[in-house]
Amino acid sequence: MSVHEFIEEFDGLPVFTFPESADAPDPLPEAGAVAWRLAHDPYGDGEDNSFEELWKRFVKAVDLSGVRALIIGQWGEAYDDTSEVVVSAIVAAKDRFTDLRAVFLGEIAQEESEISWIQQSDVSPLLTAFPALEVLTVRGGTELEFPAVRHEALRELRLESGGLPAEVVRGVCGSDLPALESLVLWLGVPEYGGDYEMGDLAGVLSGARFPRLRHLGLQNSEIQDEIATAVAAAPVVAGLESLDLSMGTLTDTGAEALLVGQPLTHLKKLDLEHHFLTAAMAERLRTTLTQQGVEVVIGKSETTEQDDDRVWRYAAVTE
């Protein structure tokens, strides 16, 4: 999933964008046949001058009882309007969304807004209102809130950001999500709100909170070496099928910790793309694990920049 382009499929369904113009002539698809995408262009010249107006047309035109997947793009000025209006609208219609299983809140491409400009809100009401929800993806960490919750059905949780607040990380890692199979956190950097510390990840690393977890992504961090070192000894790894430590500032220090730590040979895939490894270490990792049947995604090393006596390494998605 990339911030540079829109997804074409969500939760196994093709994406269909609900027309922002009321004059759109094409018939709408069956409610459960697609993942419905709604986006309000605040700079557009259509008669819908707000997300609220677009939403009113959507809930009137579509049989909400058949909607299985919902994608929300722009809802207003990215740097000014929070997603609270969206969360409230979805929650208010919960009795009509009887089959809703997947929500993507903030599918906003970089050409529309930098990820750090996206103003989110408390997204936990979506989980409270929809106890059968299975997939939740949220893009944007600014103003994001995710207090610890219990949810019996959620199997995929993905938070993409240029910087996840520590309270959000603690909230996720302190939640009780017994059905969770995939957890992806783009942790980001302090300059864009990522004030988390390693201790905030204790809940997920222990392996106790999410007993069914099979995929873990702790990505896009400038402390990727610390994360790799912690993961190398973390109980959660034993139950995983895939591990993603990509998009961050991983160096030979973190890679060495992975190699000398607990065995990773049970993994089907290890993703380390966007890294700062030496060629020798990258080849050592690739050879060692590939020989054991692990698919290793490494790619080329990023370029380290140096200014006076300081070495600069960068995470992939920040601003």
Side-chain angles (χ1 to χ4, degrees):
M1 191 175 292
S2 170
V3 296
H4 300 289
E5 56 192 13
F6 299 113
I7 59 174
E8 297 181 354
E9 182 180 287
F10 183 51
D11 198 35
L13 295 171
V15 174
F16 176 83
T17 300
F18 184 76
E20 189 160 12
S21 171
D23 298 329
D26 294 335
L28 298 175
E30 291 294 324
V34 299
W36 293 88
R37 183 178 191 274
L38 282 79
H40 163 62
D41 181 0
Y43 308 109
D45 55 4
E47 70 276 9
D48 288 320
N49 57 10
S50 68
F51 177 83
E52 291 92 333
E53 291 301 317
L54 177 63
W55 182 259
K56 287 178 183 178
R57 285 203 305 107
F58 171 68
V59 299
K60 182 177 180 180
V62 177
D63 177 10
L64 300 190
S65 66
V67 173
R68 295 165 50 198
L70 188 60
I71 303 167
I72 305 296
Q74 291 190 93
W75 51 79
E77 296 279 6
Y79 52 83
D80 194 31
D81 301 325
T82 76
S83 65
E84 184 178 3
V85 62
V86 180
V87 173
S88 296
I90 298 173
V91 170
K94 64 180 181 179
D95 292 336
R96 297 177 61 189
F97 278 117
T98 55
D99 200 30
L100 188 63
R101 295 293 181 268
V103 173
F104 187 161
L105 183 61
E107 201 225 359
I108 300 173
Q110 190 176 44
E111 66 182 36
E112 298 174 320
S113 170
E114 299 290 352
I115 196 169
S116 65
W117 299 356
I118 301 172
Q119 303 290 307
Q120 285 290 352
S121 61
D122 185 355
V123 298
S124 63
L126 293 172
L127 295 173
T128 302
F130 297 96
L133 196 70
E134 297 179 355
V135 178
L136 178 61
T137 296
V138 179
R139 179 174 294 167
T142 303
E143 300 297 328
L144 179 63
E145 295 180 28
F146 194 110
V149 297
R150 179 171 179 82
H151 195 279
E152 300 288 346
L154 195 69
R155 57 179 174 80
E156 295 182 19
L157 176 60
R158 181 182 184 94
L159 303 183
E160 301 178 352
S161 81
L164 275 185
E167 288 189 6
V168 171
V169 176
R170 288 194 292 267
V172 170
C173 294
S175 293
D176 290 321
L177 306 172
L180 196 68
E181 298 176 1
S182 176
L183 174 63
V184 174
L185 302 177
W186 290 11
L187 294 161
V189 300
E191 289 81 357
Y192 295 102
D195 59 349
Y196 56 88
E197 299 177 352
M198 281 306 307
D200 299 325
L201 293 166
V204 65
L205 295 177
S206 72
R209 288 287 182 180
F210 316 129
R212 297 185 61 182
L213 197 66
R214 296 298 175 263
H215 173 77
L216 176 61
L218 299 175
Q219 305 165 228
N220 198 43
S221 175
E222 66 179 21
I223 60 167
Q224 207 71 50
D225 280 344
E226 293 180 48
I227 292 171
T229 299
V231 164
V236 69
V237 173
L240 298 179
E241 295 180 355
S242 55
L243 174 64
D244 194 333
L245 303 178
S246 66
M247 302 174 63
T249 59
L250 187 72
T251 72
D252 287 10
T253 299
E256 181 70 27
L258 291 173
L259 285 170
V260 302
Q262 63 183 306
L264 301 177
T265 54
H266 65 287
L267 294 176
K268 295 180 180 179
K269 183 177 181 179
L270 174 65
D271 194 335
L272 303 175
E273 189 122 33
H274 185 100
H275 60 80
F276 294 84
L277 304 177
T278 62
M281 177 57 78
E283 182 58 29
R284 181 182 165 198
L285 260 172
R286 184 184 295 108
T287 300
T288 301
L289 294 175
T290 300
Q291 288 178 346
Q292 301 297 322
V294 181
E295 177 188 354
V296 181
V297 180
I298 294 184
K300 66 178 182 66
S301 176
E302 301 298 321
T303 302
T304 300
E305 299 179 7
Q306 190 160 352
D307 181 11
D308 297 327
D309 296 328
R310 183 171 179 179
V311 175
W312 296 86
R313 300 184 181 91
Y314 53 91
V317 178
T318 53
E319 184 182 5

